[in-house]
Amino acid sequence: MDEIDVLLSMHGEQVHRDDGYWWKIETWTVPPTKERPHGIRYNLTLHNKYNKRVFGHDNAHAVKPPKAKKFSGKRYEYDHLHKSAVDQGTPYEFSDCYTLLQDFFEGIDKTIAAIEGK
């Protein structure tokens, strides 16, 4: 099974943790485009006990990259992460499915530790 198949096989996975947080993974195959050159649409999210998303990775919509120069061209990234419940999206450098999963699960741990003050 290659890495794309591993990610796709996780579609619909939900895990409810004892501490009230829960995460889910949604993945779909799509035709490759300039927005999604890897041919995958994904939504990996962490929610609190009130069902509010507090962290996640997705490529469902475009986000503006941080302004590096005053007159930079209009380039919008689709692969991005939401670092908090209020983050509108921060560009994420998608390299491969395994790294995406690793970054997601590491982000879960960091996010919960930051929220809980641990």
Side-chain angles (χ1 to χ4, degrees):
M1 187 180 288
D2 70 13
E3 66 181 68
I4 291 175
D5 291 332
V6 170
L7 182 62
L8 292 171
S9 74
M10 297 179 79
H11 176 73
E13 290 279 329
Q14 273 193 30
V15 172
H16 293 260
R17 298 166 42 120
D18 291 340
D19 58 8
Y21 292 92
W22 61 279
W23 57 263
K24 71 177 177 178
I25 294 178
E26 299 172 309
T27 58
W28 305 268
T29 303
V30 296
T33 62
K34 68 178 183 172
E35 294 85 9
R36 296 178 191 94
H38 35 66
I40 306 165
R41 182 162 177 238
Y42 60 87
N43 188 26
L44 290 68
T45 55
L46 171 68
H47 304 262
N48 65 16
K49 63 184 175 183
Y50 305 107
N51 296 326
K52 184 171 187 168
R53 182 192 67 204
V54 294
F55 174 76
H57 287 260
D58 72 81
N59 64 355
H61 58 88
V63 296
K64 291 181 183 180
K67 291 185 179 183
K69 297 178 183 170
K70 188 174 182 180
F71 299 106
S72 62
K74 288 189 177 184
R75 183 168 173 244
Y76 298 97
E77 300 293 333
Y78 271 69
D79 293 301
H80 62 276
L81 65 131
H82 297 274
K83 296 179 181 180
S84 68
V86 296
D87 181 16
Q88 295 296 309
T90 302
Y92 172 75
E93 184 81 31
F94 179 93
S95 59
D96 60 71
C97 297
Y98 289 142
T99 303
L100 173 66
L101 288 168
Q102 180 178 352
D103 291 346
F104 175 61
F105 290 116
E106 287 176 359
I108 286 174
D109 293 339
K110 289 177 184 174
T111 300
I112 293 172
I115 291 170
E116 300 296 325
K118 296 179 181 178

